[in-house]
Amino acid sequence: MVARAGRDGYAEERGSGRAGERDGRARGLRAAGLALAGALLLGAAAAGWAYWHLNGNIRSVDINGALGDDRPARPVTAPSAAASEDPPPTGALNILVLGSDSRGGEENRELGGGDSEGARSDTAMVVHLDPGRTSATVVSIPRDTLVTRPSCPLPSGGTTREAQGAMFNTAYALGGPVCAVKTVETLTDVRMDHYIEIDFSGFARLVDALGGVTVTTDADIDDDRSHLRLDAGTHHLDGTQALGLARTRYGLAGGSDLARIELQQKLVRALLERISDAGLLTDPAKLYRVADAVTGSLTTDTGLDSLGELTDLGRSLSGLSADAVRTVTMPVVPAPWDDNRVVAREPDARELWESLR
């Protein structure tokens, strides 16, 4: 009896130990599960907040609604030969990209934006993406080009008057993005499928988020207006310096807008290479900083005014390398009546724009 009681007692004690271990493991698993669920919820909340924040950064303008049908025709796109879950993009795409100081006047002035009132556009590029998105042409339009500025609808109602021999960059100053697009389409007879405006102060933040860019200059630069001083040679620039390089003009020989465009085109290439080499997909923190800087500096047309639409455009460019991007300037000659202004050089300019339709 005692022995059995002892054996039974031993068995019961041993059974109680196993039950305790099982209960401990169960409690540990429940705690781990709760911790994991909490982490997932926090991660989802953070991701949701980040998406909401980035999406809310973007401003947009309804270009299509403002201009209606009085525009160059869209090119006809052939249907894809074979259906797939993720078909490659088909048809060319033309995007007007402007650099402006429209968002932060004081910050932009500190970065060399000058003292003038109102928003200005110092940089204008037509980005042509070829079918398949494996090559691109970037055409710079000098701000000093004399053009026919068409009548443009104003956000407040009414329209502007058509003007002959107006400086190209007055279109944006007078009528904002809508007038800039209409003026470019009048000049080129090329439909702008999208509009992207990059604020100068936001551009500086983007370069800083990427860790700077490396650019080689062929001549010394000393420009008090853009706060930039560089000896000829290769330099790794931070955001403020890169913006100064994009805007510098009076520190160049002759104060030429065409010389400034050459620097801007070098900067575009350097920025594309830096984005390609930055390893954004393996560094979520850097990716967020870059995305915040990009979206915080953008004004787009309504076709690109969400993070999803911008992401889709970016995905379509995954096969585009910096080496496949050609940078050119619209052919111009000095205006016969003003050596400080230029006009389109024909027929070269017309042939360039025809190649982008």
Side-chain angles (χ1 to χ4, degrees), residues 126 139 141 188 190 330 349-357:
V126 174
V139 184
I141 303 175
T188 66
V190 176
M330 183 184 77
R350 183 173 64 254
E351 291 172 355
L352 171 63
W353 298 125
E354 287 176 352
S355 72
L356 305 186
R357 291 184 192 134

Side-chain angles (χ1 to χ4, degrees), residues 259-280:
R260 173 170 61 177
I261 285 174
E262 290 182 12
L263 288 176
Q264 290 173 347
Q265 292 173 346
K266 284 186 177 183
L267 190 57
V268 167
R269 286 187 171 277
L271 194 59
L272 289 173
E273 291 170 358
R274 182 61 183 149
I275 291 172
S276 177
D277 297 338
L280 299 180

Side-chain angles (χ1 to χ4, degrees), residues 95-99 122-128 137-145 168 184 187-188 246 257-269 325-332 342-345 349 352-353 356:
I95 305 172
L96 175 61
V97 178
L98 294 187
D122 281 352
T123 304
M125 298 178 177
V126 174
V127 178
H128 174 79
T137 301
V138 179
V139 184
S140 296
I141 303 175
R143 55 167 287 179
D144 293 341
T145 305
F168 171 75
V184 169
L187 173 67
T188 66
D257 191 38
L258 298 180
R260 173 170 61 177
I261 285 174
E262 290 182 12
L263 288 176
Q264 290 173 347
Q265 292 173 346
K266 284 186 177 183
L267 190 57
V268 167
R269 286 187 171 277
V325 177
R326 180 173 67 114
T327 56
V328 298
T329 301
M330 183 184 77
V332 294
V342 296
V343 293
R345 186 180 75 229
L352 171 63
W353 298 125
L356 305 186

